[in-house]
């Protein structure tokens, strides 16, 4: 690659000369015009002249200095420097300026590109030429002009190629950006009724990868119930009221958002070309729908929870002989509800694992390493209402066991087992059996805790809870549907 520049005006070119057949041909023509064995095309590169095409010359570059070529560059605008005999010319009495003492004849024409001299086309011979025809000099000057024209043409071609390469890179970057962002781009030509689009757009609408896209075929792939809103958005854009923007579904059920603008209109203002993009927003719509569902579920749960808290508060205060007893009993029940709500919220109210619920309610009451709790059964998922109700039951059983039953002593145990009913695999049968604690007896009067145990699953249709008080410890049986 060669970069030639003069100090007065920036003239920058980039040309591959090493194997350039055009410039080699010019040097041969120049040698033939003077009937000499040597010719060269040299370009200024800083302080040196580098020969990029030559005939019969071995050297590649020389210091410009005060040489034959530098003298040729200083001649008149269209003059050719002719030195018939360098040995007899006073300007070259110092033979070092000739660079090669064998050179006796020299003729050189400057190469001018965009008003600046960037090099020379010159011929040499080892013998003097005392008679040089004007036709030969004119031909050398013309050949130097051809070299300059080729120089400019090749430079422009190089610039165009570099620009085209940059455009291709930019198009690729643009395409990769759209691909990464899953953006479908399109151009609508109203005169032909066709749409040009990228591959992402075609995949969005389920279109053939190469077949032309007619606007009618495209609209046929949009859900009919969404076309009215789409038509209104397009009409407003056609009228110039605002840019096109709409959300709609395609026949596959995917949600798309479209944005566009009319970029070309005719003399009457009618649209000719419209450009835009489409983005698949199905996941965003699903997320928004899910958020709305969760908010509705949350409102429902909050209402139910507030009603439950009010009922718990009323019943607890009636059964509590002192404010301290009320605070203790009510706080425990409220904490149970809160913990169950936290577990459900962490899982978007999809339910709670039975083992996790049991451990969350019982573990705080266990002594030591938790060996007092024995679980037996395969883990399963509980629906939200089942989890809330069962959580309250487990809390009341734990509170009773700590005060009066197996968890009152470190050696006491609670065995919780469950299985699916053999007659119906969607029914849960759970049992709570205490052992190792002080002897128990059925209380003469059913307290609120016992009532809460029996009534906590009232919202679960066809559920049953029973309590028994054998001397070995309290036993509870819970039977409820999981569906």
């Amino acid at each position: 690659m060669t970069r030639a520049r003069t100090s007065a005006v920036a003239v920058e070119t980039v040309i591959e000369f090493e194997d350039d057949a055009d410039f080699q041909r010019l040097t041969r023509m120049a040698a033939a015009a003077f009937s000499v064995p040597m010719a060269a095309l040299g370009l200024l590169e800083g302080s040196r002249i580098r020969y990029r095409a030559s005939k019969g010359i071995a050297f590649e570059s020389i210091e410009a200095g005060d040489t034959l070529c530098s003298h040729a560059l200083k001649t008149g605008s269209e003059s050719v420097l002719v030195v018939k005999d360098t040995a007899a010319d006073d300007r070259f009495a110092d033979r070092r300026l000739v660079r090669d003492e064998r050179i006796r004849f020299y003729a050189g024409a400057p190469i001018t590109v965009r008003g600046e001299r960037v090099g020379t086309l010159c011929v040499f011979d080892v013998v003097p030429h005392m008679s040089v025809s004007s036709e030969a000099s004119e031909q050398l000057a013309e050949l130097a002009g051809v070299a300059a024209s080729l120089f400019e043409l090749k430079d422009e071609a190089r610039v165009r190629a570099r620009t085209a390469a940059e455009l291709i890179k930019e198009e690729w970057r643009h395409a990769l950006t759209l691909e990464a962002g899953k953006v479908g781009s399109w151009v609508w030509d109203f005169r032909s009724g066709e749409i040009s689009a990228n591959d992402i757009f075609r995949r969005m609408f389920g279109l053939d990868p190469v077949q032309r896209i007619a606007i009618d075929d495209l609209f046929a792939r949009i859900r009919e119930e969404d076309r009215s809103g789409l038509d209104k958005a397009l009409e407003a854009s056609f009228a110039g009221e605002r840019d096109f923007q709409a959300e709609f579904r395609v026949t596959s059920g995917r949600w798309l958002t479209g944005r566009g603008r009319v970029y070309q209109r005719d003399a009457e203002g009618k649209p000719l070309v419209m450009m835009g993009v489409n983005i698949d927003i199905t996941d965003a719509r699903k997320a928004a729908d899910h958020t709305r569902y969760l908010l509705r579920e949350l409102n429902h749960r909050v209402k139910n929870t507030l009603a439950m808290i009010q009922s718990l508060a009323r019943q607890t205060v009636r059964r509590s002989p002192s404010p301290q007893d009320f605070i203790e009993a009510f706080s425990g029940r409220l904490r149970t509800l809160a913990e169950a709500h936290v577990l459900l919220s962490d899982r978007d109210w999809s339910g709670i694992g039975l083992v996790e619920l049991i451990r969350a309610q019982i573990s705080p009451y266990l002594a030591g390493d938790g060996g007092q709790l024995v679980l037996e059964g395969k883990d399963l998922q509980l629906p939200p209402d089942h989890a809330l109700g069962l959580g309250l039951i487990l809390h009341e059983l734990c509170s009773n066991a700590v005060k009066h039953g197996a968890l009152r002593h470190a050696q006491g145990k609670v065995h919780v087992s469950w299985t699916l009913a053999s007659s119906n695999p969607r029914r849960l049968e759970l049992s709570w059996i205490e052992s190792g604690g002080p002897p128990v007896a059925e209380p003469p009067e059913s307290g609120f805790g016992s009532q809460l145990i029996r009534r906590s699953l009232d919202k679960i249709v066809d559920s049953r809870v029973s309590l028994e008080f054998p001397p070995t410890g309290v036993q509870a049986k819970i039977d409820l549907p999981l569906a």
Side-chain angles (χ1 to χ4, degrees), residues 111-187:
I111 298 173
T112 303
V113 176
R114 303 185 188 102
E116 293 297 326
R117 294 184 173 184
V118 298
T120 59
L121 178 61
C122 49
V123 297
F124 311 88
D125 203 346
V126 295
V127 297
H129 283 238
M130 304 309 296
S131 177
V132 178
S133 66
S134 59
E135 290 82 0
S137 296
E138 291 174 0
Q139 189 172 357
L140 184 63
E142 289 177 358
L143 290 174
V146 172
S149 298
L150 283 173
F151 202 93
E152 291 190 51
L153 289 172
K154 290 174 181 291
D155 184 50
E156 291 174 2
R158 189 76 58 191
V159 171
R160 285 196 300 270
R162 186 168 59 241
T163 302
E166 289 298 325
L167 287 174
I168 292 173
K169 288 181 181 178
E170 187 62 31
E171 288 178 0
W172 272 105
R173 284 194 292 267
H174 178 69
L176 290 173
T177 300
L178 294 178
E179 184 75 30
K182 298 180 180 180
V183 177
S185 62
W186 49 268
V187 178

Side-chain angles (χ1 to χ4, degrees), residues 219 221-233 246-251 253-256 285:
F219 274 85
R221 295 176 180 270
I222 296 173
R223 293 275 284 266
E224 187 173 355
E225 56 267 36
D226 295 336
R227 291 181 193 171
S228 175
L230 182 63
D231 289 340
K232 290 179 181 179
E247 293 184 3
F248 53 89
R249 286 166 295 177
V250 291
T251 50
R254 306 288 295 179
W255 275 97
L256 304 181
R285 293 283 301 215

